[in-house]
Each structure stands twice: as structure tokens, then as C-alpha cells.
Amino acid sequence: MPDFEYRKSSYSNDAAECVEIATNIPATVAIRDSKAPTNRPIRLRPTTWAKFRASVTDNHMCATRPPSMTSL
């Protein structure tokens, strides 16, 4: 299997904690903590990642209420 090619958010800076994602493997999206890059990443199907991103960008997730697991 090829190596994941991770990238940080454009909102990240050197002092902030951030997650990194890799989308270069067609069947997997890998997510890791930038502070612990040697830890095992979380792996998702691309469709699951797309639903999560849509939920966040459409403002369906709110800090005052937990997200419904069925909406992801």
C-alpha cells in the first residue's frame, strides 16, 4: 500500500494544534493528530468523510448540541 500524503488545514499555524488529512489513497481518507504523526491514523471511507465535511460546512454541527450519528 502506498504511503499516505498528509496535509494540514490552511487555518493551521506553527503554534496551533491541528489535524492532518490524506486523500491520496482512493478508497481511504486518513486523519491524524499533527502533534503525534507516528500514531495510527483514523481511516474513513471517502463517502463518510464527504458526509462529515458537508455536515460541518453546512453548519449542521453545533457546539450546543451533539450531532446525530445518523446524520453522518
Side-chain angles (χ1 to χ4, degrees):
M1 176 182 234
D3 290 334
F4 290 114
E5 296 173 9
Y6 289 95
R7 64 185 189 277
K8 281 188 180 185
S9 167
S10 60
Y11 294 98
S12 177
N13 63 44
D14 291 337
E17 300 169 356
C18 189
V19 295
E20 299 174 325
I21 67 163
T23 57
N24 62 303
I25 308 294
T28 305
V29 173
I31 305 166
R32 71 180 183 185
D33 183 345
S34 64
K35 297 182 315 303
T38 59
N39 288 357
R40 176 174 253 166
I42 296 170
R43 296 180 183 195
L44 303 172
R45 291 185 185 115
T47 53
T48 303
W49 175 247
K51 288 178 183 179
F52 173 76
R53 283 193 62 198
S55 181
V56 171
T57 57
D58 291 346
N59 202 23
H60 290 143
M61 297 183 77
C62 179
T64 59
R65 63 179 170 86
S68 168
M69 292 306 288
T70 58
S71 67
L72 299 178

